[in-house]
Amino acid sequence: MAQETPSRGDDDEIVVTAQKREENLQNVPISIQALGTRKLDQLNVTNFEDFSKLLPSVSFQSSQPGVTTVYMRGVASGGDGNHSGSLPSVGVYLDEQPVTTIGGTLDIHVYDIARIESLAGPQGTLYGASSQAGTIRIITNKPSTAGFEGRVDGEINSVKSGDIGGRLEGMVNLPISEMAALRVVGWYQHNAGYIDNVAGTRSFLPTPGGITVDNDEFVKKNFNDSEVYGGRAALKVDLDDNWTVTPTVLYQKQTSHGTFAQDPRVGDLQVQRFYPDNRSDRFIQAALTIEGKLGNFDVTYAGAYLDRKAYQINDYTDYAEAYDKLYETSGGLAGYFYLEDNAGNDIDPRQFIIGTDHFRKMSQEFRVASPQDERFRVVAGLFYQRQSNAIHQDYMVPGLADLMSVNGRPGTLWLTEQKRVDKDYAAFGEASFDILPNLTLTGGGRYFKYDNSLIGFFGFGRNPAGPPFNGAGSSRTGVAGCYTTTGAILRDNPGGTLLPAAVDGSPCTNLADFVDGKLVPKRTKDDGFTHKLNLTWKPTEDLMTYATWSRGFRPGGINRRASVGSYAADFLTNYELGIKSTLADGAVRLNAAIYQQDWKKFQFSFLGENSFTEIHNGPNARIRGIEADINVRPTEGLTITAAASYTDAKTRNNLCKIDDPTFSCTGPDVAAPAGTRLPITPKFNANATLRYAFPVGSGEMHFQSVIAHRSSATADIRVEQATDLGRISGSTTVDFAVGYDFGKYSLEMFLENAFDERAELARFSNCGQCNTRVQILVNRPQTIGLRAGTKF
């Protein structure tokens, strides 16, 4: 754990386990930032968005709480986070266990956390497939037999142009005996809404005589409120002097209402939504860590099981509006589609989506480490992971005729009902040898094998008496592509008998392989090897330099549109030089790294036909950058910290609209020419914190300010779509706080986003043709509040 000096108000020394050994941060030869216990408390960090703005190498893509994809060092092609999309390129760990899921990052509430470690660059040797671009580790405070302790913290806040929010958190550490202790943590947080759903109408062709609808029943101020509650418990049992067993359990539920993006066509912090928007995200993880010694070797087993259920309902009116315009020459949706009721009358063409995901993840790792003080040191282990997702997406048009709906599901225009399974196996190891007392060579490798599969149904229904076959008039997608008993699809064998559905809830199966009279999941599998080579030179106790050559990967997978082939693994090779220094008798700590990364045939996700996500392997990209952080203590009580990154990420070949493995397309077939900037990540990202603490009476007062700046970025790698969406604008936010600590109590007033900056976090549209109605995810408006806490 971090060793703290309260009078200075920051972590003097941070011990990290980035290389799966305990080491001083300044002795770890990788680019790593660590936020210790005290700093997390001082900066009021409670969730991913809070700590990501303090990590300049980290960027993210999000639409609402719980739906976030993390990127590091510009390794981003956009369009990620879909439940049937690419696996993440950044791994997230809670203690020893990976908690990265197919659908994005768990937004774990941050409280009673020992530290957060951000490891930039490929960590494929020790952390595997989902750490292609980096790893974020959330390390909890562990149970202690040293004595009883507890704390309670609370907050109330008011959001400008919004409502009142607040939170209550607490923890207790309870020694049970000299060999066992229990630590229990709990939290509840209510986040005030600040987006207004204002009155509006939508009109659909033909005009006159079409349909006009309003959203009067859904108009509401500050409708994007959310709440999160949960708890964490850990039991630590020392079996003897060498062996410790630590079972833990984590539970969290997050619910949100409304949308968290504004529509610039409507107004500041305003949207017009025509159906409810709600999301519920519940997860529970049980984990077990066993640590001990066999002779002089440290032995660790880490296993976990994660169960995550998400339910979401979203207004999809933008889709109807966009496609009504697209088919204008045919009379809009009324003229091109067959959106009718059972009596043959035209109906309101608006849609909403009901989506559920059920993620399950089991991971197990066993590793051994030789004594750390030996000249030759080894860490080696085995890893296995299985994760699955039961996918349900129901695109509803209320009142749609039974024969125009998906078979057996009246009112459903389109249905996705699929099961995805991703399995990973690995053997890994790193060895370090001290060539000289101050010169160390480290080499590492990881043999990996993945086996990913997908099976189920997607698409429209099929009216046996058609045409029209369904509300969209499609004769190809959906039930038409389902397998019959002969192995032929229904479209090619109209009189055939459909095989039973492979996934419950679907009418039949059109995403599978027909083998020996049975349907089996579509699969893609491969194996390979990633490497790491590092040379570290430490000329003095306070100065270290290093050079690293490392490689990371991300597994391939299956596209959920059966007519689109699978996509292959992509690889990232990193070349890095870094320096870590402690100057002025410890008053200054300066770390920096410069790197180049080559990203080969990167996986690229986009909304294709019917706004259906497709994943392809794109061209190569080159990423160059520099990152640095500094911690300065010029006088007693004054601490200044700053961190910054510069990222230059560009494609090296043309990104094509057509399937061209040579990427030599020209003219209108080019989606993005060579030299196009990769999206999402700003070129420049920086933050600075100033904190001054001084004694007042029997306590200590502090003043604090945090400044965070990011330059602009593109929202999409494709030039046409990026132009339609507009740039993600650059922004600078400033926070202030003043507080007083006395005895076991603390009190603080704060002003976050003091100048009410509309910092744009993401730009997106709700469908592939909806770019004329851009959604802009913005930060929380100016917020003022009061925090109080006590320790006992």
Side-chain angles (χ1 to χ4, degrees):
M1 263 186 68
Q3 303 296 316
E4 300 174 359
T5 303
S7 63
R8 287 184 171 180
D10 201 358
D11 302 285
D12 274 350
E13 176 184 347
I14 295 181
V15 175
V16 297
T17 52
Q19 298 189 117
K20 303 200 173 181
R21 296 176 180 272
E22 289 191 352
E23 299 171 281
N24 187 303
L25 173 69
Q26 293 302 95
N27 294 331
V28 181
I30 60 175
S31 180
I32 175 174
Q33 283 188 276
L35 306 173
T37 302
R38 177 169 280 266
K39 190 159 191 175
L40 292 170
D41 287 344
Q42 290 173 351
L43 300 181
N44 190 36
V45 172
T46 64
N47 56 31
F48 173 80
E49 186 179 332
D50 289 339
F51 68 75
S52 66
K53 73 178 182 180
L54 304 171
L55 305 172
S57 294
V58 175
S59 55
F60 64 92
Q61 194 173 27
S62 180
S63 58
Q64 63 189 90
V67 186
T68 300
T69 303
V70 186
Y71 304 107
M72 295 183 78
R73 284 188 171 177
V75 182
S77 60
D80 299 305
N82 189 281
H83 41 218
S84 292
S86 299
L87 286 165
S89 64
V90 174
V92 179
Y93 278 68
L94 178 65
D95 292 321
E96 292 284 348
Q97 291 81 14
V99 292
T100 315
T101 66
I102 298 168
T105 302
L106 293 185
D107 195 0
I108 297 171
H109 187 82
V110 177
Y111 182 72
D112 193 41
I113 297 297
R115 64 188 179 275
I116 294 176
E117 301 175 5
S118 174
L119 288 57
Q123 306 297 323
T125 302
L126 292 179
Y127 292 99
S130 287
S131 293
Q132 177 191 46
T135 301
I136 295 173
R137 305 182 69 229
I138 302 171
I139 312 298
T140 62
N141 284 316
K142 302 302 186 292
S144 172
T145 58
F148 175 84
E149 63 172 317
R151 61 183 287 196
V152 176
D153 296 277
E155 173 187 312
I156 187 169
N157 60 66
S158 176
V159 180
K160 183 179 180 181
S161 304
D163 278 336
I164 303 296
R167 72 175 192 263
L168 182 65
E169 304 158 314
M171 62 75 58
V172 62
N173 181 86
L174 179 65
I176 300 173
S177 70
E178 293 182 355
M179 305 289 283
L182 175 68
R183 196 177 191 99
V184 179
V185 185
W187 57 85
Y188 172 82
Q189 180 168 338
H190 174 75
N191 298 308
Y194 49 85
I195 301 286
D196 298 337
N197 190 21
V198 300
T201 61
R202 297 285 187 271
S203 295
F204 301 95
L205 295 171
T207 302
I211 295 175
T212 297
V213 296
D214 62 53
N215 66 342
D216 291 353
E217 64 177 299
F218 302 110
V219 170
K220 185 178 180 182
K221 287 184 65 65
N222 309 321
F223 83 138
N224 67 320
D225 63 303
S226 67
E227 68 176 16
V228 57
Y229 60 87
R232 188 175 71 243
L235 175 67
K236 181 181 178 181
V237 180
D238 295 325
L239 302 179
D240 56 28
D241 291 340
N242 292 326
W243 289 90
T244 298
V245 176
T246 308
T248 64
V249 63
L250 164 72
Y251 175 86
Q252 181 173 299
K253 184 174 183 180
Q254 185 176 59
T255 58
S256 59
H257 308 99
T259 63
F260 290 74
Q262 63 183 26
D263 184 343
R265 291 177 52 172
V266 179
D268 181 45
L269 301 179
Q270 293 182 338
V271 293
Q272 291 174 343
R273 306 292 283 182
F274 292 79
Y275 277 119
D277 290 279
N278 301 309
R279 177 178 170 84
S280 173
D281 186 358
R282 188 277 303 162
F283 55 83
I284 185 169
Q285 183 198 52
L288 176 66
T289 303
I290 302 174
E291 300 168 288
K293 282 186 176 294
L294 289 177
N296 290 329
F297 281 72
D298 293 323
V299 178
T300 302
Y301 166 81
Y305 179 78
L306 172 70
D307 188 289
R308 181 186 189 188
K309 291 182 178 180
Y311 170 87
Q312 189 163 320
I313 180 171
N314 289 110
D315 178 24
Y316 209 39
T317 296
D318 288 359
Y319 178 94
E321 180 187 43
Y323 276 78
D324 194 57
K325 180 67 175 178
L326 182 66
Y327 300 131
E328 184 175 10
T329 57
S330 300
L333 287 175
Y336 194 85
F337 275 25
Y338 299 89
L339 302 182
E340 303 168 346
D341 61 20
N342 286 324
N345 302 310
D346 287 342
I347 61 173
D348 176 356
R350 290 177 300 153
Q351 298 180 34
F352 65 89
I353 310 170
I354 297 176
T356 64
D357 292 283
H358 189 179
F359 301 98
R360 293 185 175 95
K361 182 187 186 87
M362 181 181 68
S363 64
Q364 298 189 74
E365 179 173 305
F366 174 80
R367 68 177 185 269
V368 295
S370 64
Q372 193 168 349
D373 56 358
E374 297 291 335
R375 186 177 183 186
F376 179 73
R377 304 172 296 280
V378 175
V379 176
L382 300 172
F383 176 79
Y384 169 72
Q385 175 177 274
R386 183 186 189 276
Q387 51 185 328
S388 65
N389 185 17
I391 305 163
H392 169 77
Q393 292 277 301
D394 191 342
Y395 292 73
M396 298 287 296
V397 179
L400 184 64
D402 296 0
L403 292 177
M404 296 297 100
S405 304
V406 172
N407 302 63
R409 304 185 72 102
T412 296
L413 178 65
W414 175 288
L415 178 70
T416 299
E417 204 77 58
Q418 298 173 347
K419 182 176 182 180
R420 173 175 177 169
V421 177
D422 292 64
K423 293 186 284 188
D424 298 274
Y425 312 80
F428 63 89
E430 282 193 3
S432 299
F433 178 70
D434 295 333
I435 302 172
L436 298 171
N438 62 353
L439 185 65
T440 301
L441 179 66
T442 299
R446 189 181 188 100
Y447 170 76
F448 67 85
K449 180 179 180 180
Y450 66 83
D451 184 351
N452 301 337
S453 65
L454 190 63
I455 190 171
F457 174 85
F458 69 97
F460 303 109
R462 188 171 179 88
N463 172 16
F469 293 104
N470 45 59
S474 172
S475 62
R476 303 187 61 82
T477 304
V479 174
C482 283
Y483 287 94
T484 64
T485 53
T486 65
I489 62 174
L490 185 64
R491 185 174 62 245
D492 299 332
N493 183 22
T497 301
L498 289 171
L499 284 167
V503 178
D504 291 342
S506 53
C508 50
T509 303
N510 57 10
L511 180 64
D513 286 326
F514 184 81
V515 179
D516 297 329
K518 297 181 180 179
L519 296 177
V520 298
K522 283 188 171 292
R523 297 175 64 191
T524 181
K525 55 183 180 178
D526 202 356
D527 57 52
F529 184 80
T530 59
H531 59 74
K532 173 183 177 181
L533 192 64
N534 176 278
L535 185 65
T536 303
W537 180 45
K538 195 168 185 179
T540 70
E541 184 64 27
D542 295 328
L543 178 64
M544 182 186 74
T545 62
Y546 66 88
T548 298
W549 174 40
S550 57
R551 195 182 195 209
F553 79 102
R554 182 169 49 165
I558 301 295
N559 270 290
R560 57 185 178 133
R561 183 186 290 278
S563 58
V564 179
S566 60
Y567 52 95
D570 59 1
F571 293 85
L572 183 75
T573 303
N574 176 59
Y575 310 90
E576 181 175 337
L577 296 173
I579 184 171
K580 296 193 171 186
S581 61
T582 305
L583 311 171
D585 294 327
V588 178
R589 188 172 65 215
L590 174 63
N591 300 333
I594 186 170
Y595 63 86
Q596 175 171 310
Q597 298 183 136
D598 295 324
W599 196 9
K600 186 176 181 181
K601 293 188 176 180
F602 59 78
Q603 294 172 16
F604 163 58
S605 301
F606 65 96
L607 293 176
E609 185 182 354
N610 304 117
S611 293
F612 206 73
T613 298
E614 297 181 16
I615 306 98
H616 297 261
N617 287 97
N620 300 335
R622 185 224 67 209
I623 305 167
R624 291 173 178 163
I626 185 170
E627 53 203 16
D629 64 90
I630 187 171
N631 185 301
V632 182
R633 290 170 178 155
T635 63
E636 184 70 22
L638 177 62
T639 303
I640 303 171
T641 61
S645 68
Y646 174 82
T647 308
D648 181 22
K650 297 178 179 179
T651 59
R652 302 191 69 175
N653 316 94
N654 291 343
L655 177 65
C656 302
K657 297 179 181 178
I658 58 175
D659 186 13
D660 182 356
T662 67
F663 308 107
S664 57
C665 53
T666 59
D669 291 331
V670 177
T676 299
R677 277 185 60 186
L678 297 182
I680 313 302
T681 303
K683 272 193 173 182
F684 184 69
N685 199 351
N687 67 80
T689 302
L690 185 150
R691 184 181 178 93
Y692 181 56
F694 54 95
V696 174
S698 60
E700 182 180 82
M701 179 165 281
H702 66 264
F703 295 99
Q704 179 175 279
S705 179
V706 180
I707 302 174
H709 170 79
R710 54 177 289 155
S711 62
S712 65
T714 57
D716 198 293
I717 190 173
R718 298 166 295 173
V719 174
E720 182 179 345
Q721 284 75 13
T723 301
D724 289 342
L725 292 173
R727 294 187 67 82
I728 302 172
S729 299
S731 61
T732 302
T733 59
V734 183
D735 303 336
F736 297 106
V738 56
Y740 186 61
D741 298 331
F742 51 102
K744 297 181 179 181
Y745 302 95
S746 63
L747 191 66
E748 183 178 67
M749 293 185 63
F750 64 90
L751 180 64
E752 295 177 348
N753 192 9
F755 304 108
D756 201 27
E757 173 84 354
R758 290 291 177 271
E760 296 185 3
L761 306 178
R763 281 176 171 252
F764 58 91
S765 60
N766 288 320
C767 73
Q769 301 290 336
C770 297
N771 290 345
T772 56
R773 192 172 286 279
V774 178
Q775 307 295 300
I776 305 176
L777 183 71
V778 295
N779 64 332
R780 190 167 67 171
Q782 181 190 85
T783 303
I784 188 170
L786 178 68
R787 304 184 189 105
T790 183
K791 297 179 180 180
F792 51 89

